[in-house]
Amino acid sequence: MRFYFLFLHIIFVHFFQPQIYAEKELVSSEHKIAVIGTGYVGLTAGACLAEFGNYVICCDIDEKKIKFLNEGGIPIFEKGLKELIDKNLALHRLEFTTDISQAIQNSEVILICVPTPMGQDGAADLSIVKSAVKTVAENLNNDKILLFKSTMPLGSIKRIQKLIQKQKKSAFNVEIAYLPEFLKEGTAVQDFFEPERIIIGTESKRLHQVIYDILAPLRIKNVPFCFTSFESAEIIKQASNSFLAVKISFINEIANLCDKTGADVREVAKGIGLDSRIGPEFLKPGPGYGGSCFPKDTHALLYEAQQLGVDLKVIQAAIEANDRQSKIVLEKLLKVLNSSIKDKTIAILGLAFKANTDDIRDSSAILIVNELLKRDAIIKAYDPIAMKNARKVLPQLVYCTSAEEAMYGADAVMILTEWEEFQKIDWSAVCNLMKTPIVIDARNILPIQMLRDLGFLYENIGCSHATGSDYE
Ligand code: UGA
């Protein structure tokens, strides 16, 4: 019997053990790091830095969240994160606390990962960062290294540097670097272990070695480390996100053009993306980009440039095109329902701002649902994991336990997030479930010809006129 269990154990370890990314020989020198803020960035960075061999204390003012983490819960949906946290908690390289002062005093490196949300005027709101920095200044018990992962607006790091000088009551030194984050929600753990570059804005030469040490496994993998000025690092972060936002708005406009012609945007995107100067990524049209980063960073960069008298016309246009895109999707529905939405039942598949996340911040799906509610539609919604968050802002929706339940008796269905499970739906069965078989596929994930052959009135973004067999 014992051998049987031993055999099962070996099978489990070899085949089912979650993939842990850092290899033994890649472990870095052990730095004591306090991570302030346990959101998407802080929690992922904390767990991954612990995996690299550092000793990490993740802290947050949110007592409920820390209690949940200490009980083995994970407050966000992020692939691979739970395995990483469980492993490093067991190895005593990771801990969670609300005692931020203690965490700062016990660490040599402090990583700021708190949010910098968009203020009323489009500028990034730094109040949470400032309050975290004040806590650091008040708890200096030796020299500290302060690293910023939160997205910092142009000129802010130097301002924060001066603030610390003013606030600190001791002679201890605080050296600063800005390491902007390029993780994508949904693939954050993988992105942390396989980054395309590490950007470090700093004025301190001594910090180069500390950062090499903390991220040693990435150095061994030959990831480029680019040391820059504070301002360059600030612009690199916001310009990267803005460039990607421009790319999405660009393809959304081209998709809208395709709809007025016989062109198919999937063919067009493939054709232009094969030019390596353009590249194939971020050329998927949809209901407009959302999330906590692109809308915020484009507005913030625009605002900061305006303060300096610089007119960023391309980014302004990308924002305007994005604001219009969700309306274009809505118009497609209005058109097929002959403009009468009042008391119609609309099934909404997908509420998250993209697939593989439970995040609904600035989600186009939420924008579209709000517009439908204004027009007195009845909404039956389904999302594999974002419904818990959606319920908090849209309690009036009818939440369903499956896509089929949401579509039962509906006058039309809108696909607003590209969840893989929506592609596996048996549309021949759905055809008989719905009151009228109308599909608005705002993510272009369904086989067009098949749906049309089944008798659906089917609309999408940029390939409405696609004819013949489904595009491969
Ligand atoms: C984005 C950046 O991609 C990350 O590099 C960056 O670290 C992060 O912001 C941040 O600043 O923290 P994220 O917002 O998580 O990451 O998500 P993305 O995968 O970039 O998607 C953003 C939006 O663009 C989503 O609404 C998505 O549906 C949309 N999108 C993306 C498209 O409409 N088409 C595409 O081809 C790609």
Side-chain angles (χ1 to χ4, degrees):
M1 198 63 174
R2 269 174 53 196
F3 286 116
Y4 177 69
F5 281 117
L6 186 65
F7 172 73
L8 281 182
H9 177 76
I10 291 167
I11 296 287
F12 176 78
V13 167
H14 279 269
F15 295 102
F16 299 110
Q17 192 74 304
Q19 190 188 2
I20 301 293
Y21 292 80
E23 292 149 30
K24 258 200 186 123
E25 65 275 19
L26 296 184
V27 165
S28 62
S29 61
E30 296 155 25
H31 282 273
K32 281 190 167 178
I33 306 174
V35 177
I36 305 183
T38 55
Y40 285 93
V41 172
L43 204 52
T44 308
C48 294
L49 287 169
E51 179 68 10
F52 281 176
N54 298 290
Y55 178 72
V56 181
I57 312 172
C58 286
C59 27
D60 206 294
I61 50 166
D62 186 337
E63 285 180 11
K64 250 169 88 186
K65 199 197 260 187
I66 294 297
K67 184 169 179 279
F68 188 58
L69 282 161
N70 275 325
E71 287 166 357
I74 307 290
I76 52 168
F77 178 85
E78 197 57 64
K79 197 171 161 227
L81 190 56
K82 176 152 176 56
E83 291 84 348
L84 215 52
I85 288 179
D86 287 350
K87 178 186 165 191
N88 285 285
L89 278 175
L91 288 170
H92 303 289
R93 289 199 300 230
L94 186 61
E95 67 177 270
F96 298 107
T97 181
T98 49
D99 192 344
I100 304 180
S101 303
Q102 192 71 45
I104 293 167
Q105 287 168 18
N106 286 342
S107 304
E108 47 172 328
V109 178
I110 296 132
L111 197 66
I112 305 283
C113 298
V114 296
T116 49
M118 184 158 62
Q120 293 283 325
D121 49 5
D125 175 356
L126 287 185
S127 54
I128 310 173
V129 170
K130 283 183 184 160
S131 133
V133 164
K134 188 165 177 266
T135 314
V136 173
E138 286 167 355
N139 283 286
L140 293 178
N141 55 339
N142 48 31
D143 291 347
K144 302 279 181 200
I145 292 166
L146 188 55
L147 306 180
F148 289 86
K149 273 252 161 234
S150 307
T151 296
M152 300 299 284
L154 189 49
S156 60
I157 297 279
K158 276 198 177 146
R159 287 200 296 276
I160 295 275
Q161 203 175 26
K162 281 189 194 142
L163 197 72
I164 296 172
Q165 290 307 325
K166 248 204 229 161
Q167 284 174 338
K168 69 184 177 123
K169 294 179 184 81
S170 62
F172 296 120
N173 208 12
V174 180
E175 286 174 284
I176 293 183
Y178 174 39
L179 285 92
E181 189 55 79
F182 299 104
L183 306 178
K184 297 185 291 301
E185 285 181 26
T187 54
V189 172
Q190 190 191 344
D191 291 346
F192 192 96
F193 290 122
E194 291 159 23
E196 286 181 311
R197 81 291 207 194
I198 302 292
I199 304 292
I200 309 112
T202 188
E203 291 174 339
S204 162
K205 281 267 177 304
R206 194 183 77 90
L207 280 198
H208 293 208
Q209 195 51 52
V210 176
I211 287 162
Y212 284 149
D213 274 1
I214 292 171
L215 300 173
L218 303 181
R219 273 272 280 174
I220 296 169
K221 284 185 183 170
N222 286 328
V223 173
F225 279 57
C226 310
F227 290 92
T228 71
S229 65
F230 289 141
E231 291 82 357
S232 294
E234 286 162 349
I235 293 190
I236 288 169
K237 166 69 192 194
Q238 288 180 319
S240 298
N241 274 356
S242 298
F243 188 86
L244 293 170
V246 168
K247 212 172 168 188
I248 298 167
S249 278
F250 177 83
I251 201 66
N252 280 339
E253 289 200 322
I254 294 296
N256 299 337
L257 173 67
C258 289
D259 273 337
K260 302 279 178 206
T261 70
D264 181 332
V265 72
R266 294 166 303 173
E267 292 173 341
V268 174
K270 188 174 177 190
I272 59 176
L274 281 169
D275 182 333
S276 62
R277 292 168 303 175
I278 298 172
E281 303 288 332
F282 281 68
L283 283 180
K284 286 197 201 83
Y289 59 75
S292 66
C293 307
F294 288 176
K296 172 174 78 90
D297 289 353
T298 45
H299 278 98
L301 192 56
L302 201 64
Y303 175 88
E304 290 148 22
Q306 268 161 9
Q307 300 299 300
L308 297 167
V310 179
D311 198 7
L312 298 181
K313 282 199 187 319
V314 175
I315 295 175
Q316 171 77 50
I319 294 172
E320 283 168 19
N322 197 57
D323 290 345
R324 202 180 48 194
Q325 193 62 17
S326 55
K327 296 190 181 87
I328 288 175
V329 174
L330 189 68
E331 276 159 22
K332 282 181 189 277
L333 178 72
L334 283 167
K335 197 171 155 208
V336 291
L337 289 177
N338 297 322
S339 301
S340 80
I341 282 195
K342 193 173 177 331
D343 299 330
K344 291 262 162 69
T345 301
I346 312 297
I348 297 293
L349 301 192
L351 294 160
F353 80 97
K354 63 172 184 175
N356 303 317
T357 178
D358 59 350
D359 197 345
I360 54 156
R361 285 175 291 175
D362 270 319
S363 166
S364 307
I366 303 294
L367 279 180
I368 291 171
V369 166
N370 273 318
E371 287 301 320
L372 291 170
L373 289 173
K374 270 191 219 157
R375 291 166 173 80
D376 294 322
I378 300 156
I379 307 291
K380 287 175 80 186
Y382 171 72
D383 185 291
I385 55 168
M387 289 196 289
K388 193 170 160 228
N389 285 334
R391 268 200 180 94
K392 293 177 200 157
V393 289
L394 289 168
Q396 66 273 57
L397 307 193
V398 179
Y399 289 96
C400 301
T401 53
S402 69
E404 288 77 6
E405 188 191 331
M407 290 187 282
Y408 184 80
D411 290 281
V413 54
M414 299 183 92
I415 297 180
L416 299 179
T417 311
E418 70 282 22
W419 285 103
E420 211 181 311
E421 72 169 73
F422 300 157
Q423 289 169 31
K424 296 180 186 146
I425 290 170
D426 177 359
W427 289 98
S428 57
V430 170
C431 208
N432 303 318
L433 285 181
M434 292 183 70
K435 194 167 163 199
T436 43
I438 296 174
V439 178
I440 308 291
D441 176 8
R443 294 284 187 171
N444 293 350
I445 57 170
L446 302 182
I448 304 173
Q449 199 52 45
M450 187 191 91
L451 268 104
R452 288 194 175 138
D453 289 347
L454 285 169
F456 279 94
L457 206 170
Y458 172 84
E459 292 286 336
N460 56 22
I461 313 290
C463 23
S464 304
H465 297 290
T467 51
S469 62
D470 285 319
Y471 183 78
E472 292 299 310

